[in-house]
């Protein structure tokens, strides 16, 4: 999934970029509204799945930037991240087409949670798997995956996976029993145009195994296919 961060404070922009890349997102930054709009108008680039927008930008304001983005794309989720906390600021932002509003300073877990919820149910711009839609709750052996709550329950343990961890697990479940190559996983989960490498897939698989496997070093659900990729087995 691809995120555009529109933030003129370089340290803030790079900090957000780092944290979202750790979550598995493909991140682009812009220091002003004009640059942000230029990114949206690039026809040779994959579409954005989310915009994180500051309001106090040089030149074109965040409000105006939001309005212009909405003229280009009426569906992409926009989350305003701003130091402005007055109710009239929020009302104006929502009138311009903002989906959510979070004030600075903010708690990173809350921001990540909001982003997960905004991007989880992707529309036509997302890298949809093309497989039948899973039920919101899926169980196998002693594992229970709640896609709506972003929660994996294994016995009395609770995990809150990232968006991409859950998307990867969803893709495995939808293709149970099939051998999936790393290239296919990369294209279907992250999108063919993302900057994510196949090594990233291995790291995400390792994190999933630590959640759902009784022994992550001897997995029985997410199996490695040497030289190819992985195969998911619900009931070994």
């Amino acid at each position: 999934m691809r995120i555009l961060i529109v933030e003129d404070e370089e340290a803030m922009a790079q900090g957000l970029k780092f944290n979202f890349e750790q979550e598995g997102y493909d991140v682009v930054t812009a220091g002003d509204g004009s640059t942000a709009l230029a990114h949206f108008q690039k026809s040779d680039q994959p579409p954005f799945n989310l915009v994180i927008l500051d309001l106090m930008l040089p030149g074109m304001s965040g409000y105006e930037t939001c309005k212009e983005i909405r003229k280009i794309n009426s569906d992409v989720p926009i989350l305003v991240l701003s130091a402005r906390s007055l109710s009239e600021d929020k009302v104006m932002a929502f009138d311009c087409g903002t989906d959510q509003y979070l004030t600075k300073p903010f708690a990173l877990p809350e921001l990540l949670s909001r982003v997960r919820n905004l991007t989880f149910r992707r529309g036509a711009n997302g890298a949809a798997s093309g497989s039948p839609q899973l039920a919101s709750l899926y169980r196998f052996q002693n594992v229970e995956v709640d896609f709506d709550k972003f929660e994996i329950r294994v016995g009395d343990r609770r995990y809150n996976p990232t968006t991409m961890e859950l998307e990867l697990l969803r893709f495995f479940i939808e293709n149970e029993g099939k051998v999936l190559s790393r290239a296919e996983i990369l294209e279907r989960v992250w999108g063919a145009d993302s900057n994510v490498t196949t090594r990233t897939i291995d790291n995400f698989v390792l994190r999933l195994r630590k959640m759902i496997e009784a022994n992550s070093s001897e997995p029985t659900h997410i199996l490695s296919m040497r030289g190819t990729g992985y195969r998911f087995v619900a009931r070994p």
Side-chain angles (χ1 to χ4, degrees), residues 11-236:
M12 172 69 75
Q14 292 305 313
L16 290 171
K17 184 175 188 291
F18 173 81
N19 281 287
F20 282 117
E21 287 180 340
Q22 293 301 301
E23 296 289 307
Y25 296 99
D26 185 10
V27 182
V28 175
T29 62
D32 55 66
S34 298
T35 304
L37 294 176
H39 282 299
F40 259 94
Q41 292 166 339
K42 289 181 179 178
S43 59
D44 60 335
Q45 298 294 319
F48 291 105
N49 302 96
L50 177 78
V51 178
I52 295 178
L53 178 65
D54 186 20
L55 292 179
M56 295 183 286
L57 298 171
M60 183 184 296
S61 72
Y63 300 113
E64 190 62 31
T65 302
C66 184
K67 289 180 181 178
E68 293 301 315
I69 289 175
R70 280 288 171 249
K71 292 178 183 178
I72 301 170
N73 188 320
S74 61
D75 298 321
V76 63
I78 299 177
L79 187 156
V80 163
L81 191 60
S82 175
R84 294 177 180 264
S85 58
L86 297 178
S87 60
E88 50 261 41
D89 294 318
K90 297 178 182 179
V91 169
M92 187 181 299
F94 285 120
D95 286 344
C96 290
T98 297
D99 293 286
Q100 289 197 22
Y101 195 112
L102 185 61
T103 56
K104 300 175 183 176
F106 58 90
L108 182 61
E110 181 182 356
L111 175 60
L112 294 175
S113 176
R114 290 188 183 223
V115 168
R116 281 197 298 266
N117 282 282
L118 282 171
T119 59
F120 187 64
R121 297 190 180 282
R122 294 169 293 173
N125 288 343
S129 68
S131 301
Q133 186 69 31
L134 283 176
S136 61
L137 199 63
Y138 183 85
R139 297 182 179 88
F140 58 99
Q141 291 198 314
N142 67 328
V143 179
E144 187 173 83
V145 184
D146 192 324
F147 291 101
D148 285 345
K149 293 183 179 179
F150 280 83
E151 188 173 75
I152 296 175
R153 298 181 282 269
V154 185
D156 58 356
R157 290 173 291 157
R158 299 288 187 274
Y159 301 98
N160 295 109
T162 66
T163 299
M164 298 313 296
E165 287 169 350
L166 203 60
E167 285 290 311
L168 179 57
L169 182 56
R170 177 191 291 272
F171 185 61
F172 280 141
I173 292 172
E174 288 174 340
N175 293 277
E176 181 185 359
K178 298 180 182 178
V179 175
L180 303 169
S181 69
R182 287 177 175 82
E184 181 181 4
I185 294 169
L186 183 61
E187 179 177 356
R188 301 291 290 278
V189 178
W190 276 270
D193 297 308
S194 72
N195 292 323
V196 174
T197 66
T198 53
R199 179 60 182 166
T200 299
I201 297 171
D202 298 335
N203 291 333
F204 271 73
V205 167
L206 180 61
R207 284 150 62 172
L208 282 178
R209 282 173 171 168
K210 289 180 178 179
M211 297 181 206
I212 69 172
E213 302 283 4
N215 182 351
S216 60
S217 62
E218 296 181 3
T220 58
H221 294 297
I222 304 178
L223 308 178
S224 296
M225 300 290 104
R226 186 177 296 277
T228 303
Y230 297 96
R231 182 166 67 93
F232 175 77
V233 179
R235 294 167 181 79

Side-chain angles (χ1 to χ4, degrees), residues 7-15 29:
E7 170 63 63
D8 64 322
E9 292 185 21
E10 183 65 19
M12 172 69 75
Q14 292 305 313
T29 62

